[in-house]
């Protein structure tokens, strides 16, 4: 039974200014290092899930010893997690983080600065600003580009929609929605665009879903005719997005052509590169990103294909002023001459995620990012070859990135049965998305040792 006198209670939770408990605090850290290395990272040979039994949590009246809690995490919590460290897991867009990102996350928590304002995060405000300009330049978004990190791609897409509405109808910031605005994305685009229309108050029915081809790329002629149709109905198109890496097939829309159409109809042009954005690091995929210079905004998630731990996503804008005007934020308790990210983001208090992103980029370098992205493409080619060599399997469509969609070619075995069999055998963990009316199998090749 631990000692719960006031001083020992405080010492268990915080460093004493007299430094007497420095060794205990350090020991606690080492216990976490062992837990993470042995209990999480070194589980590549272990099952996808070891224990599926229900978990029951009881919060005690008297706090328990930290060593006991760590033991409980090891024996009861970790076996119930889904094991992304197993190289045969390739179901969704879930990468394992680079080692440095894991430790950086603990560092971020320890420093605990706040992206709300410059005075609460001086170095990280500078770091995030520089990283946003660096990524904006990488995508060719011009000298006036800027952006903000967000807690995920959905939040970045919602923010883009808000900026677009406030650009098209600045009065809406004060008066609410005043006109019949309509937005366009393909039927393969992420569901966060519906969420965005709901949040911005424009209504999900005013998001028009443009048909895509068999691969999941937007059909341009359909886009243009739908835009014209809406204008004839008295609606005002304000937002068109191209997707760079759709969530199911990893398709990349013709960015430049969609962007030109958006500009022709005086619409905000958004590129959702939440998934595919990392492709910009390799010359093999760079041609697909032509036209990002036309983008008013762009979403990119390093937490998906750049091996940065969650959360780490960003919204980039071509014109810094759009971000300032769009949020129109003021922090009465802060100097309004300085850069305060709390004014440029839907979130207020926010983690300093720039630190782990910066550490991953510094340690990999752009050549390392290129190597890692190309490595996932090569591992994907191997999977495609394996599918083509097996008469029981077939590709659903030619992959563009490291997302491979396949199905059972045997009429007696459904894709769903095949998936369950593979999971039960520990062979592969694939997902089972609904694609053009059918359940298919999807593999996302993110694990550096996938296979
Ligand atoms: C994953 C994804 C999103 C949403 O990102 P979250 O971080 O899950 O919110 C948006 N768009 C595309 C294309 C995605 O693949």
């Amino acid at each position: 039974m631990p000692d719960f006198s006031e001083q020992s209670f405080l010492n268990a939770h915080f460093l004493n200014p007299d430094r007497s408990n420095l060794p205990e605090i350090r020991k606690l850290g080492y216990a976490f290092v062992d837990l993470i290395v042995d209990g999480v990272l070194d589980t590549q040979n272990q099952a996808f899930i070891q224990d599926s039994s229900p978990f029951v949590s009881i919060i005690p009246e008297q706090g328990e010893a930290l060593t006991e809690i760590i033991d409980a995490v090891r024996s009861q919590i970790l076996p119930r997690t889904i094991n992304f460290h197993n190289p045969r897991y390739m179901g969704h867009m879930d990468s394992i983080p680079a080692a440095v990102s894991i430790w950086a996350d603990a560092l971020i928590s320890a420093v605990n600065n706040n992206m709300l304002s410059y005075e609460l995060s001086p170095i990280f405000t500078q770091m995030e600003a520089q990283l946003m300009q660096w990524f904006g330049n990488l995508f060719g978004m011009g000298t006036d580009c800027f952006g903000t990190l967000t807690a995920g791609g959905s939040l970045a897409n919602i923010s883009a929609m808000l900026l677009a509405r406030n650009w098209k109808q600045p009065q809406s910031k004060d008066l609410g929605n005043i006109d019949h605005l309509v937005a366009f994305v393909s039927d393969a685009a992420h569901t966060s665009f519906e969420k965005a229309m709901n949040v911005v108050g424009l209504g999900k029915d005013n998001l028009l879903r443009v048909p895509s081809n068999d691969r999941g790329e937007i059909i341009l002629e359909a886009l243009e005719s739908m835009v014209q149709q809406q204008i004839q109905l008295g609606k005002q198109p304000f937002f068109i997005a191209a997707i760079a890496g759709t969530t199911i097939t990893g398709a990349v829309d013709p960015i430049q052509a969609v962007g030109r159409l958006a500009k022709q109809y005086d619409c905000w042009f958004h590129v959702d590169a939440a998934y595919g954005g990392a492709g910009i690091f390799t010359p093999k995929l760079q041609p697909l990103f032509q036209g990002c210079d036309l983008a008013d905004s762009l979403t990119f998630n390093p937490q998906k294909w750049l091996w940065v731990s969650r959360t780490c996503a960003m919204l980039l804008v071509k014109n810094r002023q759009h971000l300032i005007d769009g949020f129109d934020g003021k922090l009465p308790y802060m100097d309004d001459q300085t850069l305060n990210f709390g004014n440029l983001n839907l979130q207020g208090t926010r983690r300093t995620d720039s630190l782990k992103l910066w550490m991953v980029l510094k340690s990999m370098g752009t050549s390392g990012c290129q190597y890692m992205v190309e490595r996932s493409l090569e591992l994907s080619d191997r999977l495609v070859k394996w599918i083509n060599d097996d008469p029981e399997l077939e590709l659903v469509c030619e992959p563009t990135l490291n997302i491979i969609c396949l199905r059972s070619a045997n009429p007696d075995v459904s894709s769903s049965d095949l998936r369950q069999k593979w999971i039960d055998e520990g062979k592969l963990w694939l997902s089972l998305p609904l694609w053009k009316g059918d359940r298919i199998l999807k593999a996302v090749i993110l694990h550096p040792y996938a296979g």
Side-chain angles (χ1 to χ4, degrees):
M1 189 63 192
D3 168 11
F4 284 113
S5 67
E6 184 179 318
Q7 196 53 59
S8 77
F9 180 86
L10 284 170
N11 280 353
H13 294 279
F14 305 96
L15 180 63
N16 193 315
D18 72 9
R19 303 171 70 243
S20 60
N21 62 335
L22 204 51
E24 283 75 45
I25 297 277
R26 193 185 302 280
K27 222 172 124 195
L28 178 64
Y30 289 150
F32 267 93
V33 170
D34 289 341
L35 180 69
I36 290 171
V37 173
D38 300 329
V40 182
L41 305 189
D42 189 20
T43 60
Q44 299 204 354
N45 297 321
Q46 292 178 19
F48 298 124
I49 290 187
Q50 290 177 37
D51 182 354
S52 307
S53 65
F55 170 70
V56 181
S57 161
I58 296 159
I59 303 301
E61 201 265 323
Q62 293 282 321
E64 293 162 10
L66 288 165
T67 49
E68 281 167 31
I69 298 170
I70 288 176
D71 286 346
V73 168
R74 192 190 298 271
S75 63
Q76 292 169 42
I77 308 290
L78 294 182
R80 288 180 165 88
T81 59
I82 169 136
N83 182 6
F84 296 149
H85 293 266
N86 182 326
R88 295 165 184 277
Y89 171 87
M90 42 187 83
H92 296 278
M93 295 165 160
D94 300 286
S95 48
I96 53 168
V100 67
S101 185
I102 298 169
W103 310 119
D105 250 326
L107 179 60
I108 289 168
S109 292
V111 176
N112 212 27
N113 275 195
N114 185 344
M115 287 312 296
L116 180 69
S117 72
Y118 187 91
E119 70 180 38
L120 301 177
S121 58
I123 166 70
F124 301 116
T125 297
Q126 298 171 55
M127 185 181 279
E128 185 165 322
Q130 289 173 31
L131 281 173
M132 294 303 93
Q133 284 161 337
W134 188 81
F135 273 104
N137 287 326
L138 200 63
F139 286 103
M141 293 176 76
T143 49
D144 212 20
C145 65
F146 204 61
T148 176
L149 291 178
T150 66
S154 298
L155 200 54
N157 284 345
I158 293 168
S159 307
M161 188 78 83
L162 180 70
L163 297 184
R165 194 231 22 204
N166 291 348
W167 160 81
K168 192 72 174 179
Q169 291 186 344
Q171 322 88 294
S172 305
K173 284 184 279 181
D174 295 321
L175 304 176
N177 294 319
I178 46 182
D179 218 342
H180 305 293
L181 297 181
V182 283
F184 301 82
V185 296
S186 85
D187 59 10
H190 193 259
T191 52
S192 53
F193 290 106
E194 263 103 22
K195 233 184 228 181
M197 291 295 276
N198 186 6
V199 171
V200 179
L202 295 170
K204 291 189 270 186
D205 287 353
N206 290 310
L207 178 72
L208 285 115
R209 289 282 192 167
V210 181
S212 60
N213 63 20
D214 290 347
R215 239 178 150 188
E217 298 157 352
I218 195 168
I219 298 173
L220 279 171
E221 301 73 36
L223 170 61
E224 180 151 29
S225 71
M226 285 172 76
V227 169
Q228 287 171 352
Q229 203 177 18
Q230 289 300 312
I231 294 171
Q232 273 160 19
L233 289 171
K235 303 276 188 171
Q236 194 180 12
F238 80 107
F239 178 97
I240 297 176
I243 316 302
T246 56
T247 312
I248 296 182
T249 62
V252 179
D253 287 337
I255 295 176
Q256 190 154 47
V258 176
R260 285 193 181 135
L261 220 97
K263 295 294 120 185
Q264 188 186 331
Y265 288 93
D266 199 25
C267 287
W268 181 279
F269 178 45
H270 178 67
V271 175
D272 181 1
Y275 186 76
I280 199 74
F281 284 104
T282 168
K284 292 187 173 146
L285 297 175
Q286 276 157 7
L288 296 174
F289 291 89
Q290 257 166 36
C292 284
D293 55 315
L294 297 171
D296 295 295
S297 56
L298 183 148
T299 293
F300 172 47
N301 279 12
Q303 69 187 7
K304 284 179 170 171
W305 197 6
L306 210 55
W307 300 279
V308 180
S309 49
R310 300 180 170 111
T311 57
C312 187
M314 67 183 73
L315 177 71
L316 302 173
V317 292
K318 179 165 47 198
N319 182 341
R320 182 189 183 119
Q321 199 60 38
H322 285 155
L323 198 59
I324 298 167
D325 294 346
F327 282 108
D328 200 19
K330 305 242 173 341
L331 298 171
Y333 35 89
M334 301 289 169
D335 166 14
D336 59 7
Q337 297 309 307
T338 42
L339 172 61
N340 295 318
F341 271 99
N343 288 333
L344 304 177
N345 197 301
L346 285 171
Q347 292 162 266
T349 290
R350 186 161 57 84
R351 271 167 76 80
T352 61
D353 290 326
S354 58
L355 178 57
K356 61 187 173 185
L357 177 58
W358 181 80
M359 290 182 85
V360 168
L361 291 171
K362 286 282 274 186
S363 61
M364 288 193 181
T366 52
S367 68
C369 295
Q370 177 181 343
Y371 166 75
M372 287 298 293
V373 169
E374 290 177 358
R375 185 180 171 98
S376 32
L377 295 175
E378 280 157 27
L379 292 171
S380 303
D381 287 346
R382 266 199 241 172
L383 183 70
V384 168
K385 186 167 181 319
W386 179 74
I387 295 164
N388 286 336
D389 288 348
D390 187 336
E392 303 270 291
L393 300 173
E394 65 186 20
L395 285 176
V396 170
C397 59
E398 274 306 310
T400 310
L401 309 174
N402 55 341
I403 299 180
I404 292 125
C405 290
L406 61 148
R407 61 163 78 93
S408 167
N410 178 345
D412 299 330
V413 184
S414 73
S415 293
S416 162
D417 292 343
L418 198 57
R419 169 179 188 259
Q420 199 53 52
K421 180 168 164 275
W422 285 349
I423 292 176
D424 294 344
E425 289 170 352
K427 183 170 172 166
L428 282 181
W429 202 111
L430 305 183
S431 57
L432 191 71
L434 192 60
W435 176 243
K436 310 250 183 210
D438 282 331
R439 288 280 164 195
I440 59 161
L441 298 170
K442 175 173 100 161
V444 188
I445 308 301
L446 288 168
H447 198 297
Y449 296 96

